[in-house]
Amino acid sequence: MAAGNGPWMALALLTLLAGLQTPALSEVSVQPNFKQDQFLGRWFTKGLASNATWFQEKKAKLSMCKSVVTAAEDGALNLTVTYFRNTQCHVWNLLLEPTGTPGHYRYYKPKWGSNHDVLVVETDYDRYAMFITQSTNVPGKELFMATLYTRSQNPVAERELNEKFRSFAHSQGFTDEAIVFLHKADKCIDDQ
């Protein structure tokens, strides 16, 4: 849920896009039998892949964010992202509206005039989730971001999850240069 990638999504919306070949969102499938109630709770952003030009410049400086997903009215999700930047903790909130397909959500950011589709592609609910976000803010230009969420900053079988995400990102058209695994933040996101 890029949404779990909130601060980085905001940066991406302000940049030009790289020419990465990524599949159309219509070619991406959501988690079969997605169970929203099991998806709720705390997640950490462990991996990212993006076709945004800013990503290559900033990826070495990125660190984990903590996202808390709670149920909202009418099947929507509240997403609260906490991250550390410029010596301060920041919080970013958004509402993910259901699209009618379980695991597929949409939100709109009036500040940038941008539409965002978020698809939960794979999750075991207990350890990890992988999703893809497509954002459109300029006609003809689209941002794609793949995200790996984990329930812990130090997930069990971390190497296996990283390889699973790398394969997922490759299947979405991202190269190794477009993939980053994030280090733990020193502040703002505890495991509590």
Side-chain angles (χ1 to χ4, degrees), residues 81-95:
V81 179
T82 305
Y83 60 99
F84 183 72
R85 186 178 69 198
N86 297 331
T87 70
Q88 294 183 8
C89 296
H90 298 270
V91 178
W92 191 62
N93 296 298
L94 61 96
L95 182 68

Side-chain angles (χ1 to χ4, degrees), residues 67-105:
S67 297
V68 177
V69 181
T70 57
E73 293 183 17
D74 301 323
L77 295 175
N78 287 313
L79 180 68
T80 302
V81 179
T82 305
Y83 60 99
F84 183 72
R85 186 178 69 198
N86 297 331
T87 70
Q88 294 183 8
C89 296
H90 298 270
V91 178
W92 191 62
N93 296 298
L94 61 96
L95 182 68
L96 298 173
E97 299 283 351
T99 64
T101 301
H104 182 184
Y105 300 91

Side-chain angles (χ1 to χ4, degrees), residues 6 9 30 85-86 123 144 179 181 185:
M9 181 68 67
V30 297
R85 186 178 69 198
N86 297 331
T123 184
F144 287 91
I179 300 169
F181 294 98

Side-chain angles (χ1 to χ4, degrees), residues 165-186:
F165 179 69
R166 187 181 310 281
S167 291
F168 168 66
H170 288 161
S171 76
Q172 300 304 308
F174 296 106
T175 64
D176 282 336
E177 293 75 32
I179 300 169
V180 65
F181 294 98
L182 305 173
H183 59 86
K184 293 190 327 184
D186 294 331

Side-chain angles (χ1 to χ4, degrees), residues 12-46:
L13 295 172
L14 300 174
T15 64
L16 297 174
L17 304 175
L20 180 65
Q21 296 297 315
T22 53
L25 198 60
S26 62
E27 298 171 13
V28 179
S29 299
V30 297
Q31 168 79 26
N33 303 311
F34 179 74
K35 306 220 181 328
Q36 180 171 293
D37 61 326
Q38 292 181 36
F39 189 71
L40 303 177
R42 183 192 63 225
W43 293 96
F44 295 93
T45 306
K46 175 69 175 136

